[in-house]
Amino acid sequence: MNYTQLIPTNTALYPNKPCLHYKENDTWKNYTWSQLSAKVAQTANALKQLGVQTEDNVAIYAENMAEWILFDLAIVSIGAVSVPIYATSTPDQAQYILNEAQIKTILAGDQIQYDNILQIYAQNDYLKTIIAAKPTVKLVTDSSFYYHDWIQNFPTEWTIETRSPDDLATIIYTSGTTGEPKGVMLTHSNFLKVFDSHINFFKFKNPENEHSLSFLPLSHVFERIWSIFMLHNGAQISVSKNPKLIAEVLKEVKPTMMCSVPRLYQKVYSAILDKMNKSSQTKQKIFSWALKVGTQYSNLLRQDQKPNLG
């Protein structure tokens, strides 16, 4: 019962279908299910070669990126425990988590995370290996490797470790704003139960045809589980590194669904109202009418009624 079983399941169903989109040098690229499976397998085999074993904790200290998801899936697939650290965490904040979880291996996203880890490395009793997600990072220790170089010679097949429902899958640390961060432990069953509850509550139809935008931090449980849920159902996800560019990325990706927080909707709502308040009375009346019709339409859909479009 390992939730990463979603990889071979969907690879068999949709081998050539894109599943993970990412932006590189201002161009959107993607991994198909077969390509994602191969990358996760290589990463898993590389982690094993480092000596990572079942129930070992492995950290990810990075902004949203394709490598974040590949590394995370690989960790969990071999029965180890994924420990995300917010990309904005200071060296002291990261140090606390590395010590608390006794991290030996960590993925660093960009130069700032790598440099922060270097400040910790010499004084840390556990940390042995730093994997840099991007080739632009300047490596300065023999214990540092570029992610894609590090995995390239490993096999593209692997065996997913069987786990029991109560086995640990991840430890997600709180922000620590009211004290030291607390590690929240989530099991494989926690993930799978959330997947089932989403299907039962939202009654998604053909979720494999959906395309989600991942822009909230993957280090937070909300975006993390939603993105894995999308992959679990064979849907596509596009990863946006910078949440401040959400308006631009929405136009590029055109997602069919995504998870978000109230603040985003409040900003969109306020911007629209501000624009309408500066418009002519005719436009304001049309807007009010359209808003009323849209609300009625939405309410009917919520009640499982078919709106009359005539």
Side-chain angles (χ1 to χ4, degrees), residues 54-278:
T54 300
E55 298 182 0
D56 281 353
N57 297 331
V58 181
I60 303 174
Y61 184 23
E63 295 175 319
N64 289 12
M65 56 181 65
E67 290 83 1
W68 202 112
I69 293 174
L70 296 171
F71 205 76
D72 177 57
L73 290 170
I75 294 167
V76 179
S77 75
I78 61 174
V81 179
S82 176
V83 183
I85 300 174
Y86 283 99
T88 54
S89 295
T90 65
D92 286 344
Q93 291 169 331
Q95 169 82 310
Y96 177 86
I97 295 173
L98 293 179
N99 284 333
E100 172 87 357
Q102 299 183 9
I103 299 296
K104 297 178 183 178
T105 305
I106 188 169
L107 176 75
D110 281 319
Q111 192 69 51
I112 185 170
Q113 288 87 29
Y114 181 80
D115 290 345
N116 286 347
I117 294 170
L118 286 183
Q119 294 184 43
I120 299 167
Y121 185 74
Q123 296 85 27
N124 190 277
D125 295 331
Y126 304 103
L127 192 58
K128 304 297 181 186
T129 307
I130 308 169
I131 310 299
K134 298 298 181 182
T136 52
V137 175
K138 295 179 181 179
L139 305 185
V140 296
T141 74
D142 293 337
S143 299
S144 302
F145 306 94
Y146 290 120
Y147 172 68
H148 292 283
D149 292 343
W150 172 62
I151 69 171
Q152 67 177 349
N153 294 322
F154 284 91
T156 57
E157 295 181 353
W158 87 119
T159 300
I160 293 179
E161 188 74 24
T162 301
R163 309 300 287 149
S164 71
D166 293 331
D167 280 335
L168 195 58
T170 189
I171 302 174
I172 299 179
Y173 277 82
T174 60
S175 63
T177 52
T178 57
E180 297 292 359
K182 307 297 189 297
V184 179
M185 300 185 292
L186 298 179
T187 66
H188 285 265
S189 180
N190 288 143
F191 277 81
L192 293 170
K193 292 295 184 182
V194 168
F195 298 164
D196 290 341
S197 65
H198 273 59
I199 290 292
N200 293 334
F201 181 80
F202 291 107
K203 295 180 172 55
F204 292 124
K205 296 178 181 178
N206 306 118
E208 69 277 7
N209 296 329
E210 304 294 350
H211 189 154
S212 180
L213 174 62
S214 172
F215 78 99
L216 297 175
L218 283 163
S219 301
H220 192 280
V221 66
F222 188 30
E223 184 66 74
R224 169 91 170 283
I225 289 192
W226 173 260
S227 293
I228 299 299
F229 168 69
M230 287 282 96
L231 291 176
H232 174 77
N233 288 288
Q236 301 181 59
I237 59 173
S238 288
V239 181
S240 178
K241 184 177 179 180
N242 188 349
K244 294 181 180 179
L245 300 178
I246 180 64
E248 174 186 327
V249 175
L250 279 171
K251 295 176 183 177
E252 296 174 349
V253 173
K254 297 180 175 63
T256 59
M257 60 172 55
M258 65 185 204
C259 68
S260 187
V261 290
R263 178 59 181 155
L264 174 68
Y265 302 121
Q266 289 170 352
K267 289 180 70 174
V268 172
Y269 182 72
S270 297
I272 292 172
L273 283 186
D274 182 62
K275 186 174 182 179
M276 289 313 304
N277 288 335
K278 296 176 182 177

Side-chain angles (χ1 to χ4, degrees), residues 287-301:
F287 175 77
S288 297
W289 168 82
L291 192 63
K292 181 180 179 180
V293 172
T295 301
Q296 293 172 345
Y297 184 91
S298 176
N299 289 337
L300 288 171
L301 289 179

